[in-house]
Amino acid sequence: MTVGRFRTLFASALVFAFAASLQAGFADEWRTTSSLIGPSKYGDNFQRYDYVNPDAPKGGTLNRVVIGTFDSFNPYIVQGSVAAGFAQFGGGLLYDTLMEQATDEGSVSHPLVAEAYKYPSDYSSATYRLDPRAKWHDGQPITADDVVWSFQVLKANSPMYNRYFENVTDAVAISDREVEFHFSQKGNRELPKILGDLVVLPKHWWEGTDASGKKRDITRPTLEPPLGSAAYKIASFKAGSEIVWQRVPDYWAAKLPVKIGRENFDTQRFSYFLDDNASWQAFTKGGFEDFRAEARAQRWAVEYTFPAVKAADVIKKEFPLTSPQPMQAYVINTRRPLFQDVRVRQALTYAYDFESMNRTIFFGAYTRTDSYFEGGDLASRGLPQGKELEILQQYRDKLPPELFTTEFKLPVYDTPQSARENLRKAYDLLKQAGWINKGGKLVNAQTGTQFKIEFLGNDPVDERVAAPFMDNLRRLGIDATLRIVDDSQYTNRTRAFDFDVLALASFQQSNSPGNEQRDFWSSKAADTPGSRNLAGIKNQVVDALVDRVILATDRDDLVAATHALDRVLLWNYYMVPQWHLGKVRAAYWNKFGFPEKQPSYIGVDLDSWWIDPAREKALAAKYKGVN
């Protein structure tokens, strides 16, 4: 371990210990800001984010583009394609949550619908006290009954919330403004805080009737604009092609610290296009997309040459990003018998040539991802040692022996010789698993059936991501194909786990992993349609380590447990890791003002931007249609 890394870990441990001592000292006392890592940089006197412009003007239109289509305004069920502006987890543009996760600090939340919360020293429950000013767009107050009802319907209908709040047994309204949540276990340090992520839904609206007198049903898709509580409401929509959101002028929380200087656009318009190429053409012409987070390295490097860029009417800018990087990967569906042998999955990993793709397609922009917790102190490195080794020793007979003796390394394709060696290694693993080459085809030694893989994607760009990988698989004799489907079909197939390998999927982590790990990796989630356990992981050791992460006693314990979980996931080869960037590449039409300092934890806070009316008017005149 380097001196610098030792200092970082030591400092993190001290901060976490300090935070734990504060939590113990103030147990069962009301608090406003919650944190899992250490005290917020704002202390107890949070007035506003330090990067925002508190005098940012309101007005103008933000135009955005979405790929695909939509047929529902209910994001909390496993049915339908949800419209832009809604969120499967959190409130999106329409609903507020009990508290709001900070934009500029990891694992910190500030008040929103709830003005304060408390919990006992054994973490067996949590109580949230609602802000008396909180109200729905129809003027009715947000009540404890709304919170209780929301908790019940979300746990019943949303796989994501069900896993996230698995250990929350019930919610009880102890007054009009206070809700007490009870837990099935003690010592889960994360649960009191993450209940602040609960989105609050309007019970009286959902239990009422629509304009035709038909009773509403929260368990079904709907295209009736729901009643909300947040900064925006639906102004208009064209089913499947456009949705327009209008800022609520008397939004109840507009002057709360988390909202000052933010949510400045009067209108947000989302236009739908069939694919990325169509949305790109729309962006270059103006009027459809004002801000574009660019995901394609090749486009970023060579295609921003259209007239508006040359005239400085479209600006390219890179924003630093300091939050943990997601595990982006080809996801192997282990529910398929073909992929249940770990040697087969390992062989697929050895057949993937990242280095050539990065050099020839990505302009050397990316770094290979080699951890499920990429970035920071949570990623496993070297050989297990210390507390991590103690944890893993408990499961030694159920783990690959190499996990204890060999540092996990992904194959590197840096020379022609290494390419041959990696493909030879892949073939040897497949042969051990019962596959042999006959006449250039990889077939099962017993049945003679050819090895076939279908990659599933939802954008023509996925062909660029999958094609080089498939070429190597074909060299091994595998019949590798790619199927591109529309967004609705892709959503339905991934929810039902109907695929061999996903061409691209991403799993975002935080600085303080916890209950969400169940939805990512647990055996129970593997059998739950709509969960994020896309790989179908059913592993008793993984289940145990997920619980170990959730019940970590302090930062040191959390880091060790997360290292152990990371290492077990890696050595089981459930996914073929792809790459990460570590910054946000953004291009935008020059109609905005924004704080030059953006929160590096999320990269860009678009809510802190505003429209410059003079620039917007000039662009509209010059390009005829740019709003």
Side-chain angles (χ1 to χ4, degrees):
M1 178 182 294
T2 65
V3 173
R5 180 166 170 77
F6 174 79
R7 287 175 178 165
T8 300
L9 292 176
F10 182 67
S12 297
L14 284 179
V15 169
F16 199 85
F18 176 65
S21 68
L22 283 178
Q23 290 175 333
F26 292 101
D28 236 5
E29 293 186 13
W30 292 109
R31 65 195 71 198
T32 54
T33 294
S34 62
S35 175
L36 288 171
I37 293 182
S40 168
K41 66 179 182 179
Y42 299 106
D44 295 327
N45 192 32
F46 175 51
Q47 299 297 313
R48 63 174 175 84
Y49 291 119
D50 59 15
Y51 65 88
V52 302
N53 173 9
D55 301 316
K58 307 291 185 182
T61 297
L62 172 67
N63 296 292
R64 302 298 301 273
V65 160
V66 189
I67 306 301
T69 186
F70 72 89
D71 59 13
S72 178
F73 295 152
N74 185 357
Y76 305 116
I77 57 174
V78 190
Q79 296 178 61
S81 296
V82 182
F86 290 92
Q88 289 183 312
F89 189 83
L93 296 179
L94 186 66
Y95 303 114
D96 282 331
T97 49
L98 286 176
M99 300 184 82
E100 183 162 289
Q101 293 187 17
T103 58
D104 58 352
E105 295 180 280
S107 302
V108 170
S109 295
H110 300 293
L112 191 51
V113 171
E115 63 180 9
Y117 83 118
K118 64 180 181 179
Y119 54 87
S121 58
D122 64 357
Y123 304 97
S124 60
S125 66
T127 304
Y128 276 78
R129 187 178 71 210
L130 307 188
D131 190 318
R133 297 167 292 180
K135 65 179 182 180
W136 301 105
H137 292 158
D138 64 1
Q140 291 198 37
I142 298 176
T143 68
D145 282 342
D146 289 316
V147 177
V148 171
W149 185 82
S150 300
F151 169 77
Q152 292 170 344
V153 299
L154 289 169
K155 275 207 73 173
N157 296 289
S158 166
M160 199 172 296
Y161 276 101
N162 185 278
R163 296 282 80 73
Y164 201 49
F165 296 141
E166 182 174 334
N167 293 115
V168 186
T169 56
D170 66 344
V172 179
I174 56 179
S175 73
D176 285 346
R177 290 181 51 213
E178 293 185 17
V179 178
E180 186 171 87
F181 299 91
H182 302 131
F183 307 153
S184 63
Q185 59 184 193
K186 298 178 181 180
N188 188 330
R189 302 175 63 263
E190 186 188 40
L191 267 185
K193 178 195 178 297
I194 66 171
L195 277 164
D197 297 332
L198 179 69
V199 62
V200 185
L201 306 173
K203 177 182 178 182
H204 70 283
W205 189 87
W206 279 104
E207 291 192 338
T209 57
D210 62 20
S212 67
K214 183 179 179 182
K215 185 173 174 59
R216 299 184 179 98
D217 186 355
I218 188 101
T219 69
R220 303 290 300 171
T222 181
L223 281 175
E224 179 188 10
L227 176 70
S229 62
Y232 290 87
K233 62 182 178 181
I234 297 174
S236 64
F237 70 95
K238 299 174 184 176
S241 62
E242 181 186 83
I243 181 167
V244 179
W245 294 83
Q246 196 73 33
R247 188 169 58 84
V248 177
D250 61 346
Y251 173 43
W252 75 271
K255 294 184 178 180
L256 287 185
V258 291
K259 301 298 182 181
I260 291 175
R262 304 178 68 235
E263 297 172 333
N264 303 312
F265 308 115
D266 271 355
T267 303
Q268 295 196 42
R269 177 182 290 109
F270 295 87
S271 301
Y272 281 75
F273 286 81
L274 290 177
D275 56 46
D276 181 68
N277 286 330
S279 72
W280 165 248
Q281 293 302 320
F283 176 71
T284 64
K285 294 174 182 177
F288 290 98
E289 187 172 25
D290 298 327
F291 177 95
R292 181 182 181 88
E294 185 55 68
R296 290 182 58 180
Q298 179 182 20
R299 180 173 288 155
W300 186 254
V302 300
E303 295 185 33
Y304 279 84
T305 57
F306 53 94
V309 174
K310 295 178 179 179
D313 291 327
V314 167
I315 307 297
K316 289 175 63 182
K317 188 175 178 64
E318 294 182 341
F319 297 86
L321 184 63
T322 58
S323 59
Q325 297 299 301
M327 165 56 86
Q328 181 177 294
Y330 304 94
V331 179
I332 304 169
N333 188 357
T334 62
R335 300 172 187 84
R336 300 279 204 256
L338 180 64
F339 304 121
Q340 289 174 0
D341 191 319
V342 67
R343 294 169 296 188
V344 169
R345 304 195 299 270
Q346 186 178 3
L348 298 184
T349 300
Y350 268 88
Y352 174 56
D353 179 357
F354 163 74
E355 285 72 24
S356 295
M357 285 183 65
N358 195 36
R359 184 179 66 256
T360 61
I361 299 177
F362 303 143
F363 291 78
Y366 297 119
T367 301
R368 185 77 188 272
T369 298
D370 59 359
S371 169
Y372 283 77
F373 303 88
E374 188 72 42
D377 60 345
L378 295 173
S380 60
R381 293 288 184 267
L383 295 176
Q385 56 185 319
K387 183 176 285 190
E388 180 198 356
L389 180 59
E390 292 177 17
I391 294 170
L392 290 169
Q393 289 283 18
Q394 303 172 55
Y395 313 104
R396 190 167 193 129
D397 61 334
K398 298 178 181 177
L399 295 172
E402 298 84 2
L403 182 149
F404 295 93
T405 61
T406 307
E407 182 178 3
F408 183 85
K409 293 285 187 181
L410 292 169
V412 176
Y413 282 72
D414 55 356
T415 65
Q417 181 181 355
S418 65
R420 290 190 294 271
E421 290 174 350
N422 288 327
L423 287 176
R424 188 179 300 115
K425 173 70 172 178
Y427 179 73
D428 289 343
L429 287 164
L430 290 166
K431 189 174 182 180
Q432 293 170 29
W435 297 89
I436 59 175
N437 193 298
K438 275 191 175 182
K441 295 182 179 180
L442 190 72
V443 300
N444 186 282
Q446 294 184 344
T447 66
T449 304
Q450 186 176 7
F451 194 120
K452 294 183 179 182
I453 295 179
E454 180 183 85
F455 286 77
L456 181 66
N458 65 336
D459 192 297
V461 175
D462 291 335
E463 184 173 0
R464 296 175 68 251
V465 173
F469 189 14
M470 292 192 299
D471 286 344
N472 267 5
L473 295 177
R474 289 166 183 152
R475 290 188 182 97
L476 293 169
I478 295 173
D479 181 6
T481 57
L482 170 67
R483 181 183 295 272
I484 301 294
V485 297
D486 62 46
D487 190 64
S488 294
Q489 189 177 166
Y490 183 83
T491 298
N492 291 333
R493 288 188 61 172
T494 53
R495 283 174 176 171
F497 312 124
D498 180 18
F499 61 88
D500 290 341
V501 178
L502 292 181
L504 189 153
S506 184
F507 303 83
Q508 182 65 59
Q509 296 287 359
S510 74
N511 283 323
S512 184
N515 291 265
E516 75 287 343
Q517 302 303 306
R518 288 196 177 112
D519 198 43
F520 283 148
W521 326 122
S522 74
S523 297
K524 189 172 183 180
D527 293 328
T528 305
S531 82
R532 289 177 287 179
N533 188 348
L534 298 174
I537 299 169
K538 287 182 134 181
N539 184 310
Q540 292 180 349
V541 177
V542 170
D543 290 340
L545 292 176
V546 165
D547 286 342
R548 188 73 169 74
V549 167
I550 291 171
L551 295 174
T553 57
D554 55 31
R555 182 67 182 179
D556 181 61
D557 197 39
L558 177 66
V559 170
T562 306
H563 284 176
L565 175 60
D566 186 31
R567 204 178 298 274
V568 171
L569 290 171
L570 289 169
W571 276 100
N572 276 283
Y573 294 93
Y574 296 117
M575 304 179 187
V576 180
Q578 294 177 344
W579 53 82
H580 61 274
L581 181 61
K583 55 188 173 184
V584 175
R585 294 180 298 221
Y588 55 90
W589 283 83
N590 194 13
K591 59 187 275 187
F592 298 102
F594 61 89
E596 192 62 30
K597 176 188 176 185
Q598 287 287 289
S600 62
Y601 185 74
I602 63 172
V604 176
D605 177 18
L606 196 55
D607 282 334
S608 70
W609 294 31
W610 61 91
I611 300 294
D612 183 312
R615 293 182 189 174
E616 185 177 54
K617 184 177 180 180
L619 287 174
K622 185 174 182 180
Y623 292 93
K624 296 182 181 180
V626 178
N627 294 317

